[in-house]
Amino acid sequence: MQYLEKVLSFLQSFKMIKPTNYGWFHILCLIITILITIVLIYKKPNKKKTMLVISIIMILFETYKQLSFSFDNGIWNYQWYGFPFQFCATPMYVALVAGLTKNKKIEEYCYSFLATFGLIAGVSVMLYPNTVFVKEVLINIQTMQHHGFMVVMGAYILATHSVNRKYKEVIKEGFLVFLILVTLALTLDIITYYLNIDGGLEMFFISPFHTSELPVFNIIYEKVPYIIFLLIYLFAFFLGGSIIYGLAKLIKKLERK
């Protein structure tokens, strides 16, 4: 344990000026993400193996983040707010399932989620990452590789696989996975609230006991009954996933012409 603490203290000592939107660090991460995506689309490696490798890398970096957040100035104290089941954490689990499962139907459902809902979440953060940046170098690297890989996986699957499938099938499959994840997140929020774990978690920022911290949704939360807020939340993500898949289909159609 002492060795682990020394390693963590050493790694945490690497600091940087907090990055800003479209500063050198952000732009560098965008370039790397785009290059990796282009290479994968061009080379077309095995999807299952690619998802498995990427998910393992993401989980390893996430493990470091959890340890780093829990250890500060020689004291261990788990930070429940960082529990790894926010929406942007779920693609690494879904990709792991896609890489390990032998069930083709489950695999397709995972791909549909990654190519739509996972992709739009990754793109959103990569384009406006200001709220996820900190002064610790490795945490910034972790968050950028994590969201960058969300884009890489989603774009790769979308461009080489999902775009060739029927619109209704992909959206239905992706949204079903999304609903399952939302249900798990809401269950965690409710259970931890009644167990009084850190006042209740706020996974997916949809807890019925805490105001949502998501821009726009925080306003909606205050104005309408909770069930209406939840339905609007679901519809917004459904619409976002549908739009990004629809754009991919349109681009594919234009390429054929």
Side-chain angles (χ1 to χ4, degrees):
M1 182 62 74
Q2 289 184 347
Y3 178 73
L4 175 61
E5 291 176 352
K6 288 181 180 179
V7 171
L8 286 173
S9 294
F10 174 72
L11 295 176
Q12 290 172 338
S13 67
F14 291 95
K15 305 292 185 179
M16 65 189 300
I17 297 174
K18 183 180 177 180
T20 57
N21 289 338
Y22 299 98
W24 72 267
F25 182 77
H26 181 200
I27 292 175
L28 176 62
C29 292
L30 284 174
I31 292 173
I32 293 173
T33 299
I34 293 170
L35 288 177
I36 294 175
T37 302
I38 292 173
V39 170
L40 286 184
I41 293 175
Y42 177 73
K43 293 291 186 179
K44 295 182 176 62
N46 180 273
K47 289 193 298 297
K48 286 182 71 68
K49 291 181 179 179
T50 302
M51 296 304 106
L52 184 59
V53 170
I54 290 178
S55 64
I56 290 174
I57 293 173
M58 294 171 78
I59 290 171
L60 288 174
F61 270 92
E62 180 64 36
T63 300
Y64 167 75
K65 186 183 82 172
Q66 292 297 313
L67 291 171
S68 181
F69 277 15
S70 301
F71 182 71
D72 184 36
N73 293 321
I75 299 174
W76 287 96
N77 181 28
Y78 186 71
Q79 303 299 310
W80 283 100
Y81 71 86
F83 188 78
F85 203 77
Q86 289 293 9
F87 179 65
C88 284
T90 58
M92 66 181 173
Y93 306 129
V94 175
L96 183 65
V97 172
L100 293 175
T101 186
K102 294 182 179 179
N103 187 307
K104 289 296 182 182
K105 187 173 183 180
I106 292 177
E107 186 180 343
E108 285 292 352
Y109 274 63
C110 290
Y111 289 154
S112 294
F113 171 80
L114 292 170
T116 52
F117 301 95
L119 175 57
I120 195 170
V123 168
S124 298
V125 175
M126 289 302 291
L127 291 180
Y128 191 82
N130 194 55
T131 57
V132 300
F133 283 140
V134 294
K135 293 183 178 180
E136 188 177 330
V137 173
L138 284 183
I139 294 300
N140 286 329
I141 292 175
Q142 183 276 330
T143 195
M144 283 291 95
Q145 67 79 30
H146 184 97
H147 294 94
F149 272 141
M150 288 171 63
V151 175
V152 169
M153 292 189 298
Y156 171 54
I157 295 170
L158 183 60
T160 62
H161 178 72
S162 296
V163 74
N164 298 315
R165 299 183 63 218
K166 293 182 179 179
Y167 179 89
K168 289 183 179 180
E169 290 180 355
V170 173
I171 296 302
K172 180 192 71 175
E173 294 168 358
F175 191 63
L176 179 59
V177 174
F178 176 66
L179 283 177
I180 292 172
L181 296 172
V182 167
T183 301
L184 290 174
L186 187 56
T187 301
L188 280 171
D189 291 343
I190 294 172
I191 290 176
T192 54
Y193 176 79
Y194 284 108
L195 291 178
N196 196 29
I197 297 177
D198 201 36
L201 300 183
E202 298 180 62
M203 301 298 95
F204 284 40
F205 300 108
I206 56 171
S207 170
F209 310 109
H210 303 280
T211 301
S212 178
E213 295 182 17
L214 293 174
V216 180
F217 286 103
N218 57 345
I219 299 174
I220 297 173
Y221 188 99
E222 296 287 349
K223 300 294 184 180
V224 300
Y226 176 75
I227 188 62
I228 301 300
F229 160 80
L230 189 58
L231 290 174
I232 293 173
Y233 178 92
L234 294 173
F235 176 74
F237 273 91
F238 175 82
L239 183 62
S242 299
I243 289 174
I244 202 165
Y245 184 69
L247 288 173
K249 294 286 281 187
L250 177 61
I251 293 172
K252 187 72 174 181
K253 185 177 180 180
L254 294 174
E255 285 181 348
R256 288 173 179 170
K257 288 184 178 180

